[in-house]
Amino acid sequence: MINWKSSVIGGLINFIITLFLSIVCFPLFFLGPIIGGITTIYFSSISYDAIKEGAMSGIIGGLLIGILIIFGISSISILIGILSSTIVSMSTFGVFMGIIISIMFIIVSAVLGMIGSLIAEKYMN
């Protein structure tokens, strides 16, 4: 059973920290899902299953970042398509690449969220 309140809070913290660190110093973006997993376990009064809760916070944060990536890449590719008058092929390519990048980011974020939740479970209990 997953504590959804703590998983959503951890996912939002994951999203905010990852977005901030991606802008400020890109190589540190992986700290967002780890900190999100830690805060998920911290806000969960009873840890039912730390791996599932950490993975869920990583997936929620990864989905939010993925939505930004899809909209960002597709809007940039549409602007490029308008300038080069091949709007259909460029916008389709942009959405396709945005979806591929988003899926990869969701997987990475889920794994790092699991790692963060395991770290929190080991040192908090």
Side-chain angles (χ1 to χ4, degrees):
M1 186 167 176
I2 295 175
N3 188 352
W4 286 101
K5 181 180 176 183
S6 64
S7 294
V8 170
I9 290 172
L12 290 175
I13 290 174
N14 173 3
F15 169 68
I16 293 168
I17 291 175
T18 303
L19 188 64
F20 176 74
L21 289 176
S22 295
I23 293 170
V24 174
C25 183
F26 183 71
L28 295 178
F29 80 94
F30 67 89
L31 291 177
I34 292 175
I35 294 172
I38 290 172
T39 55
T40 298
I41 300 303
Y42 178 76
F43 285 120
S44 177
S45 58
I46 300 171
S47 179
Y48 299 108
D49 193 4
I51 294 177
K52 289 181 184 176
E53 291 178 7
M56 193 54 65
S57 73
I59 289 171
I60 291 170
L63 279 173
L64 293 174
I65 294 286
I67 290 170
L68 283 179
I69 289 172
I70 289 172
F71 287 134
I73 289 178
S74 63
S75 64
I76 289 171
S77 66
I78 287 173
L79 286 175
I80 292 170
I82 289 172
L83 295 176
S84 67
S85 72
T86 58
I87 191 167
V88 176
S89 64
M90 289 301 288
S91 62
T92 306
F93 178 73
V95 171
F96 178 71
M97 287 306 296
I99 291 172
I100 296 296
I101 292 170
S102 298
I103 290 172
M104 290 186 337
F105 193 80
I106 290 169
I107 293 170
V108 168
S109 184
V111 170
L112 291 174
M114 284 189 274
I115 291 171
S117 66
L118 288 176
I119 291 170
E121 187 179 45
K122 180 176 181 178
Y123 291 111
M124 288 184 159
N125 293 332

